[in-house]
Amino acid sequence: MIAQLFRFKGGIKPNSHKDESTTQPIKLAPLPPRLVVPLRQSARAMARCIVEPGQDVLKGQVIAVAEGPLCTAVHAPTSGTVRAIEPQPIPHPSGLPAPSVVIEPDGEERWVERFPFDIATATPQQARDYLRDCGIVGLGGAGFPSHVKLGPGEKGIQTLILNGAECEPWITCDDRLMRERAAQILAGAAMMRHITGARRILVGIEDNKPQAIEAMRQAARELGEKEIGVVAVPTRYPAGGEKQLIRVLTGIEIPYGKLGTHFGVQCFNVGSAHAVYRAIAHGEPLVSRIVTLSGNFERPGNFEVAIGTPIRDLLPLAVPRADTNRYIMGGPMMGVGLQSLDVPVIKATNCVLAGSPTLFPAPPPEMPCIRCGECAKACPAELQPFELYWYSRAKIFGKAQEYSLFDCIECGCCSYVCPSRIPLVDYFRFAKAEIWAREKEKAAADTARERYEFRLAREEREKQEKAAKLAAKTAAGREKAAAALAEAQKPARTPEEEAKHALIAAALERAKAQKEQAHPENVSDLTPEQQAEITAIEARRAEIREQAKPHLRQDD
Amino acid sequence: MIEALLVMALGAVILGAALGYAAVRFRVEGDPLVEKIDAILPQTQCGQCGFPGCKPYAQAIAKGEAEINQCPPGGDEGIHKLADLLGREYKPLSAEHGIEKPKSVAVIDEAACIGCTLCIQACPVDAIVGAAKQMHTVIATQCTGCELCIAPCPVDCIRMEGIAETVDSWKWKYPVVALRRVA
Amino acid sequence: MNNSPYFLKPASVRFVMLRVLLALTPAIAIYVWFFGAAILVQISLASVTALLAEAGMLKLRGKPVMMFLGDGSALVTAWLIALTFPPIAPWWLTVVGVLMAIVIAKHLYGGLGQNPFNPAMVAFAMMIVAYPSLMSQWPAVGFTDFLPQWNAIFGARQLDAITMATPLDALRTALHTADARATVAGVLGSSASFGNIGGKGWEWVAAGYFLGGIYLLQQRIITWHMPAAFLATLLVISGGFALYDPTRFVGPSFHLFTGGAMLGAFFIVTDPVSGCTTPRGKLIFAAGIGLLTWVIRSFGAYPDGIAFAVLLMNIAAPLIDINTQPPVFGHKRRGGDPQ
C-alpha cells in the first residue's frame, strides 16, 4: 500500500539497548501502599478536583473533571480512600510540587460501573467528549489530550498515523504492547478513524522491532482491512518524533505552529490507540499504562503500572544495580532527570531509566564552539544549532528567533554529536523559557500600563466632575446676585427674559388700559371744583410714586 | 568659476528644499521615543524613579532630564535595554532610587484590615478591591508589586510576598559553563 | 545534575584535531623524501612554540590551560604554518609566524572558535609581506642533505647551493619580468623545478595532501563542499584561460598540483571557525577562494595567492552565511524528495 517512504534530514544512530527489556512479557505491577495522582497530567492544563479527603473512591471513578479546552478528566487508579489533596512532587524538570490527590488503596480493585460506549450511534463530538472524560492523553511522552487531536480541524483528517517507532534508546513499552496487544491497538485505531473520518491508517514502526511489525501485520490481516498499512521505517533517532514520522510516512513536513490537521494527517502513539480501545469497548478510563524499567537494572522489563504509583515502589520490580546513581523518566535523549523517587508515574511516563556513572557519565566540560557544523548535520529540524547557540548564549533572543529557535524539537541530536560537548539543548530550552517569560512579563506590563492609564483618566474625570459640581453650586447663588444687579443697571437681557418682560409689560399695559377705560362711576358727574381737587390729588400721588420708583423697582 | 558657484548654490537650494519637504511630509506624529522607552519600563508605576509613574519617567528620559538608571524594578536588564535604545552609556542602578528586588505582590491581612480605603486610593493600577468599612483584598494577578499601598495603611496590615515558583512559572536556567572544573 | 540528553557520542575537539594531524602525515613523509628532514625540524619548532604560546595566552586569559592545550588546535595551526613556510626558513621566522598566529590571530580575537581569520594564513600573509625574500627561499628538489638545511635554519645561511625558486615563483618571474616572448611552454620546459604535472616533487606532496583529504572526508571531519568547490573553480578558471591563451596562462594541472592548492583545499579552506558553515555558503566561500587564488597567482605580486584569498573570503564569510541560511524543516516546499 505504501508506494514510497520519505526521509528526514539529520538524526543520529545511538546504540538502541532495546533487547535488554524486551525478553519478558508485560507484567502487572503490584499496587503500592499509596498512590499520588497529580491533577496536572499534561503540560498545559490542570483538572478541577471533585473529591474530598476521607472520601472513598472506586477504581475508575472521576476524581477531577476537565476544565478548559486542553484538559482531560483524572480518575482514581484503584479503589480506596482519598487521604489528602495537596501539593506533591511531580515528574517535571523543575522538581516542584503540584496539586495531587493522594489515595490509599483498599486492595480490592472495585471498579465503578463500566459501560461500553456506542461509537456507531454517537456523533464525533460526543465521542471526543467521552474520551476527554475518560482521561485519554497521548502516551508517547508529551501527554497531549487525544480528544483535541481527534478534532476535525480545518480540512479534516485523511490519514491517521500510529506511532510505534519508539526511537529513543532503552524504551520498549510500545514494542511489547504491539507484540502482545496488536489487535486491541488496531481496534482502537479503527475507532479513531471512525471519529475522525480518516481514510487510511498507517502504522510506523522502526525496523529494529521485527516481532512487533510481524504482530501488527498479523493483526491487520486478521482484521481483513486494506486501508491499514504497517510500515517498517528505518531506525534512526528521532524517527519517532511526530513530525519526523509524518514526514517519513507521507512526505509532509509540518512546520512549527501548525498542526497535523492543517495537512490532513494526525499522529497517535500506539499506546493511546490501545487506551482509546479500552475506553470505548470496555468503558475503562485511563488508569494504568505500560512502563519500561530499563538501564542499570538487574531485571529490566515492562510493567503495567497504575497511574500515581511512586517510582520508588516500582524499582524493586527490576532491581536496580548497586552503582545506580540517578533515575530518568523517559529516554536518555529527552527524558527528565528525577530529583526525587517520590514522584509518581503519570500518564506520560513511558520509561524509568536507571543510570550509573558508567552508563551516563557526567558531561565533560564545555569547550568553545568551533563551528564544525556537526550539529547542523544532525538536526532533524534542519536548523543551524551553532548559530542558535551563539545567540542563546549571548541572550540575543530576537536573533535566536530569527534563526527559528521555536522550530527546535529538543530532540538532543545536536548535543549528542557536539565535539565541544556543549549542552546545546540546554541553551535552547533556556532561550525558549526566557522568551516565553518575557512575553508573559510584557503582557503583564501592558495590562498594568492600561490599568494605570485608565486610573489616571478616571481620576481626571472625577476631578473634573467634582469641579463642575462645585462650580455649579456656587454659581447658583452668584448668578442670582448678578442677575439682580444686571436688572438694576438694565443690562442687555437675554431673549428669554426679553420675552418674559414683554409679556409682563403687555399685561401691565392691558390692565392700565382697562383701568383707564373703566372709569369709576363716582367720578362721572363731577363739578369743576371736585375735578380740580381730584387732579391735584392725582398729581401728588404721581409725585410720590415718582419718588418711590427706585424702591419699588427693587422689590420687583 | 561663477558656474561652479551657481551649480553649488543650486544644489544647496534643491537639497534644502528636499530636506524641508521631507521634514514636513514625513513628520512623525507624537513622540515614538517616549513610547519606546515606556515599553521597556516595567510599568510597576511605583514612583521609585522620582516621577509619578512610568510614562512621566519615560518622558523625562526622552527629554534628557532623567538618568536611565533610576528604575529598580526594571533592574540591570532594563538599564541595559535603555542604554541600547538611547545610545547612552550603561550605568549601574542608582542606589538612592532603590535596589532590585525579586518580584512580589502585596497581600492584605484580611483579619486586621479596618476598611479605610487608603490603600485603594494609593494603588496605581486599581488592583485592590474593597469599600469603606469593608475588608479589602489584592487582586494578585494585577498587582505590580509597587509597594505604594504599604505606607498609607494605618494598621500596617499589608505586606509584600515573593511570588512562589510553580511548575507553570518555572523556567530553564542558563546552562552552567563548567570551564574551570578541570583547571 | 545535567539535563537530557544524558549520553553523548564519543567525540571531542581533540579527536577532530588529531585526525587532521594524522591526515597530514602522508604528505609530510613525501615532503621529507623529496626535500629533506628540514620540514620535521620546522614542524617541531612550530609545535613547541605554538604550545608554549597557547599555554601562555590561556594563562593570561585565565582559562584552564591543560584542558585547552589538549584540544590540539594549536598543533594544527603550527603544522600548517610549518608546511606553508619554506622548510629552510630561519628559525625565528617560523617562531614569529607561529606567535603571530597564536597570540594575535587567535587569542586576541577570543581564542578557539572566535577567530575571524585563519591563524595560519594570517601568519603566512604577515611574514610574506614583512620578509618576502626569506619567504621565497625554498630547497631544491632532491637536495636532502640535512646539515646544510640545519645550518640554514639555525646558523650561517649559505643558501645558494640548496635553494631554488618554487615552480610558481619561477613561472611568475619568467612570465612577468623576462622578455615578452616567454611562454608557458617555454618556461616549463626550461627549468628543473617543473615536473610532469606540477612542480617537481611538489606534485607528489600535493598528492599526499589529497590522500589526507580523502581520509578526512571518509572520517566525516570535513564535507565535500569546500574542497570540491575550491578545486573545481581553480580547475575551470585556469583551464578556461589556458585554452584561451596557452602561452600566457598555465593549465589547471599545474595550478592544482603546485603551491598550496591541495593543502589549501583540504586543510586550510576547510577551517570551520573562520569559514562558512551553511552548505551553499561553503560552496560560495571555497569557490571565491579558488577564484581569488587564480587571480593573485596570475596577476598579483606574490607567487601563491591562497593565503590572501583565504583572508579575503574570511571577511566575507559571515555575510555569505547570513544570506545562505538553508530552509528549516516544514518551511519549504510541500511534499518532499522520495528516499
Side-chain angles (χ1 to χ4, degrees):
Chain A
M1 180 177 128
I2 293 295
Q4 60 182 12
L5 286 181
F6 298 81
R7 65 186 306 270
F8 64 94
K9 284 188 180 160
I12 54 170
K13 285 184 178 174
N15 189 346
S16 72
H17 292 279
K18 299 274 191 192
D19 298 337
E20 299 161 21
S21 52
T22 48
T23 51
Q24 300 285 318
I26 299 167
K27 289 186 282 266
L28 195 65
L31 274 177
R34 203 178 81 118
L35 287 164
V36 180
V37 187
L39 295 172
R40 190 183 182 283
Q41 289 283 347
S42 75
R44 291 167 184 85
M46 189 150 80
R48 183 165 56 84
C49 185
I50 55 164
V51 291
E52 284 166 5
Q55 186 178 337
D56 285 331
V57 289
L58 295 171
K59 183 173 184 173
Q61 183 179 335
V62 178
I63 57 175
V65 291
E67 231 173 32
L70 291 177
C71 196
T72 52
V74 181
H75 303 77
T78 183
S79 59
T81 310
V82 176
R83 282 294 165 222
I85 295 151
E86 60 188 12
Q88 290 279 343
I90 62 165
H92 187 267
S94 68
L96 290 169
S100 308
V101 178
V102 180
I103 296 173
E104 189 182 304
D106 58 13
E108 292 174 28
E109 293 268 48
R110 279 174 294 132
W111 272 95
V112 288
E113 268 190 279
R114 285 164 285 170
F115 305 101
F117 182 75
D118 186 2
I119 193 167
T121 58
T123 64
Q125 183 57 47
Q126 284 168 336
R128 287 194 293 270
D129 287 348
Y130 175 75
L131 292 178
R132 180 193 66 204
D133 296 335
C134 282
I136 309 291
V137 298
L139 298 182
F144 193 82
S146 298
H147 70 273
V148 180
K149 285 172 90 176
L150 286 168
E154 288 167 10
K155 288 195 202 158
I157 299 168
Q158 284 85 49
T159 308
L160 200 68
I161 290 174
L162 279 199
N163 187 346
E166 203 167 49
C167 56
E168 278 232 40
W170 277 287
I171 307 179
T172 59
C173 58
D174 292 346
D175 186 359
R176 284 303 325 183
L177 190 75
M178 286 187 285
R179 289 195 206 179
E180 297 177 30
R181 303 178 197 173
Q184 300 184 16
I185 293 169
L186 289 186
M191 291 164 179
M192 291 200 278
R193 181 177 59 182
H194 177 82
I195 296 170
T196 56
R199 194 169 51 79
R200 58 174 184 170
I201 298 172
L202 295 179
V203 188
I205 307 171
E206 273 193 350
D207 55 16
N208 62 357
K209 293 182 258 298
Q211 294 99 325
I213 295 169
E214 194 35 57
M216 292 293 279
R217 285 199 172 139
Q218 181 65 31
R221 272 195 297 274
E222 281 166 12
L223 221 55
E225 285 222 43
K226 283 221 168 63
E227 290 299 319
I228 297 182
V230 178
V231 186
V233 301
T235 300
R236 186 157 54 105
Y237 179 83
E242 189 173 56
K243 292 179 177 186
Q244 278 65 38
L245 189 66
I246 291 173
R247 161 82 190 158
V248 168
L249 291 178
T250 66
I252 295 166
E253 290 188 4
I254 298 169
Y256 170 72
K258 286 273 200 305
L259 299 171
T261 45
H262 287 111
F263 299 89
V265 292
Q266 198 56 282
C267 181
F268 294 89
N269 177 264
V270 287
S272 311
H274 179 250
V276 166
Y277 165 78
R278 301 295 304 174
I280 290 176
H282 299 283
E284 287 177 15
L286 181 55
V287 292
S288 69
R289 68 156 297 145
I290 316 295
V291 178
T292 304
L293 295 184
S294 191
N296 206 38
F297 284 112
E298 292 291 349
R299 290 203 298 276
N302 284 285
F303 300 88
E304 179 147 11
V305 183
I307 305 296
T309 306
I311 302 290
R312 191 186 299 285
D313 296 304
L314 278 184
L315 299 181
L317 297 174
V319 192
R321 295 201 179 106
D323 61 341
T324 302
N325 66 341
R326 64 168 10 163
Y327 292 95
I328 293 155
M329 192 194 96
M333 298 303 294
M334 296 182 74
V336 175
L338 297 179
Q339 297 174 29
S340 154
L341 288 179
D342 293 325
V343 300
V345 166
I346 58 172
K347 290 174 183 174
T349 309
N350 47 10
C351 177
V352 175
L353 193 59
S356 69
T358 44
L359 209 53
F360 306 131
E366 181 182 333
M367 295 278 288
C369 169
I370 54 168
R371 298 169 64 84
C372 64
E374 283 297 316
C375 48
K377 273 193 261 172
C379 181
E382 296 169 54
L383 299 167
Q384 303 282 307
F386 55 91
E387 302 278 14
L388 291 174
Y389 157 71
W390 187 258
Y391 293 119
S392 303
R393 195 177 123 104
K395 302 183 190 170
I396 306 170
F397 299 121
K399 271 282 183 191
Q401 270 175 292
E402 264 176 50
Y403 279 89
S404 310
L405 173 67
F406 282 97
D407 285 84
C408 166
I409 57 169
E410 298 175 27
C411 63
C413 289
C414 50
S415 298
Y416 177 81
V417 298
C418 179
S420 288
R421 326 284 182 76
I422 299 168
L424 291 158
V425 186
D426 280 0
Y427 281 100
F428 305 153
R429 286 189 278 235
F430 158 75
K432 286 182 184 178
E434 235 7 80
I435 291 167
W436 277 321
R438 268 156 210 232
E439 257 162 38
K440 253 193 215 165
E441 249 171 49
K442 201 179 165 299
D446 286 345
T447 320
R449 182 186 297 119
E450 215 171 85
R451 291 178 73 88
Y452 175 63
E453 275 165 9
F454 179 79
R455 181 189 160 89
L456 287 185
R458 196 196 68 214
E459 278 176 347
E460 186 59 31
R461 197 189 65 219
E462 280 172 359
K463 217 197 275 173
Q464 276 175 3
E465 280 172 5
K466 228 179 194 174
K469 225 185 234 171
L470 195 72
K473 217 173 178 182
T474 48
R478 211 183 297 139
E479 222 168 70
K480 232 180 199 173
L485 196 72
E487 198 68 18
Q489 294 162 350
K490 294 220 186 246
R493 284 166 174 161
T494 67
E496 266 170 63
E497 281 171 335
E498 202 74 60
K500 216 168 158 187
H501 278 270
L503 277 175
I504 294 165
L508 283 173
E509 208 66 40
R510 272 200 306 276
K512 212 171 161 188
Q514 272 175 358
K515 229 189 226 166
E516 269 167 29
Q517 268 170 17
H519 285 287
E521 290 294 310
N522 57 346
V523 292
S524 53
D525 302 305
L526 293 173
T527 58
E529 295 89 341
Q530 284 171 321
Q531 189 67 43
E533 204 181 353
I534 289 167
T535 312
I537 293 165
E538 285 291 352
R540 272 201 314 275
R541 270 187 188 159
E543 205 178 337
I544 293 161
R545 270 208 189 111
E546 203 59 44
Q547 281 170 357
K549 213 170 186 177
H551 302 278
L552 281 169
R553 279 280 154 85
Q554 252 175 9
D555 294 340
D556 209 302
Chain B
M1 179 64 190
I2 195 80
E3 290 94 333
L5 282 176
L6 280 176
V7 165
M8 294 305 285
L10 191 69
V13 167
I14 291 171
L15 285 176
L19 281 174
Y21 174 74
V24 176
R25 174 75 179 74
F26 301 110
R27 180 201 294 283
V28 184
E29 291 301 325
D31 193 350
L33 187 61
V34 173
E35 301 287 313
K36 279 183 194 161
I37 298 171
D38 198 39
I40 292 174
L41 296 176
Q43 305 303 322
T44 320
Q45 318 294 0
C46 62
Q48 289 183 76
C49 50
F51 295 88
C54 295
K55 191 85 172 251
Y57 179 42
Q59 284 159 347
I61 294 178
K63 281 188 206 145
E65 289 164 3
E67 289 291 347
I68 56 172
N69 63 345
Q70 300 179 0
C71 177
D76 218 37
E77 203 188 320
I79 300 173
H80 273 294
K81 278 192 191 163
L82 286 174
D84 284 349
L85 174 70
L86 300 164
R88 294 200 206 168
E89 200 161 325
Y90 165 79
K91 287 177 186 155
L93 185 63
S94 139
E96 62 175 290
H97 293 100
I99 49 164
E100 194 178 348
K101 286 183 231 172
K103 218 173 157 341
S104 51
V105 289
V107 178
I108 294 177
D109 179 358
E110 289 166 357
C113 175
I114 54 168
C116 67
T117 74
L118 287 176
C119 58
I120 296 180
Q121 293 159 38
C123 181
V125 290
D126 290 338
I128 304 179
V129 285
K133 294 184 185 156
Q134 307 289 321
M135 180 192 78
H136 304 342
T137 194
V138 176
I139 312 168
T141 51
Q142 309 291 0
C143 175
T144 64
C146 67
E147 305 187 6
L148 290 179
C149 52
I150 290 180
C153 182
V155 291
D156 284 338
C157 71
I158 308 181
R159 63 178 191 283
M160 299 307 292
E161 243 175 40
I163 299 170
E165 195 171 45
T166 65
V167 170
D168 291 305
S169 68
W170 177 85
K171 16 177 221 185
W172 287 93
K173 306 289 177 292
Y174 191 72
V176 184
V177 182
L179 269 186
R180 292 176 180 272
R181 186 164 10 178
V182 172
Chain C
M1 183 146 156
N2 62 314
N3 302 309
S4 63
Y6 297 94
F7 73 146
L8 308 175
K9 190 179 170 182
S12 66
V13 176
R14 182 212 298 255
F15 182 87
V16 172
M17 295 296 174
L18 290 182
R19 286 291 179 285
V20 175
L21 295 182
L22 187 65
L24 282 169
T25 49
I28 293 172
I30 298 167
Y31 204 128
V32 172
W33 176 264
F34 280 103
F35 300 98
I39 185 66
L40 297 179
V41 177
Q42 296 284 9
I43 286 176
S44 314
L45 193 62
S47 301
V48 171
T49 315
L51 289 176
L52 288 176
E54 178 97 349
M57 287 311 289
L58 288 170
K59 189 112 189 133
L60 280 175
R61 293 177 58 219
K63 302 270 177 189
V65 175
M66 289 321 289
M67 191 179 111
F68 276 94
L69 215 52
D71 66 28
S73 61
L75 281 180
V76 171
T77 304
W79 285 32
L80 289 178
I81 289 173
L83 289 171
T84 49
F85 277 33
I88 50 170
W91 63 271
W92 55 266
L93 195 72
T94 307
V95 169
V96 173
V98 171
L99 288 177
M100 288 285 178
I102 300 290
V103 176
I104 293 176
K106 186 176 177 188
H107 280 289
L108 290 191
Y109 282 101
L112 179 65
Q114 311 276 329
N115 47 299
F117 298 105
N118 187 323
M121 291 302 100
V122 170
F124 184 89
M126 286 174 120
M127 289 297 117
I128 202 165
V129 170
Y131 305 100
S133 63
L134 286 180
M135 287 294 282
S136 311
Q137 290 165 341
W138 291 77
V141 182
F143 191 89
T144 53
D145 283 359
F146 186 62
L147 198 65
Q149 290 187 339
W150 175 268
N151 285 337
I153 296 171
F154 288 105
R157 289 167 65 78
Q158 300 212 327
L159 298 170
D160 293 347
I162 59 168
T163 58
M164 181 189 258
T166 59
L168 273 173
D169 214 3
L171 183 70
R172 193 184 59 85
T173 313
L175 286 180
H176 283 229
T177 57
D179 62 317
R181 282 163 299 158
T183 63
V184 168
V187 175
L188 290 187
S190 68
S191 168
S193 34
F194 303 104
N196 296 324
I197 45 175
K200 199 165 184 183
W202 295 115
E203 59 202 18
W204 294 106
V205 178
Y209 290 134
F210 185 80
L211 200 66
I214 299 299
Y215 170 71
L216 289 184
L217 279 173
Q218 185 261 327
Q219 290 285 306
R220 296 172 168 273
I221 283 167
I222 57 173
T223 58
W224 59 269
H225 303 81
M226 289 211 196
F230 172 77
L231 294 175
T233 309
L234 201 53
L235 184 119
V236 167
I237 195 152
S238 62
F241 274 86
L243 282 178
Y244 163 71
D245 185 355
T247 59
R248 284 177 48 223
F249 296 101
V250 72
S253 71
F254 183 83
H255 269 291
L256 294 183
F257 282 89
T258 46
M262 281 298 164
L263 179 65
F266 293 100
F267 296 91
I268 294 170
V269 174
T270 52
D271 171 35
V273 175
S274 54
C276 284
T277 44
T278 63
R280 272 195 304 148
K282 285 177 180 174
L283 293 176
I284 296 170
F285 175 79
I289 295 175
L291 175 69
L292 286 173
T293 300
W294 180 83
V295 168
I296 297 170
R297 279 181 175 183
S298 302
F299 307 107
Y302 293 103
D304 203 349
I306 289 184
F308 295 101
V310 167
L311 294 179
L312 285 171
M313 290 310 287
N314 281 165
I315 299 172
L319 189 69
I320 298 172
D321 265 347
I322 286 169
N323 289 300
T324 55
Q325 285 299 315
V328 170
F329 183 89
H331 296 281
K332 44 196 166 190
R333 74 270 170 234
R334 284 276 176 86
D337 330 310
Q339 192 170 28

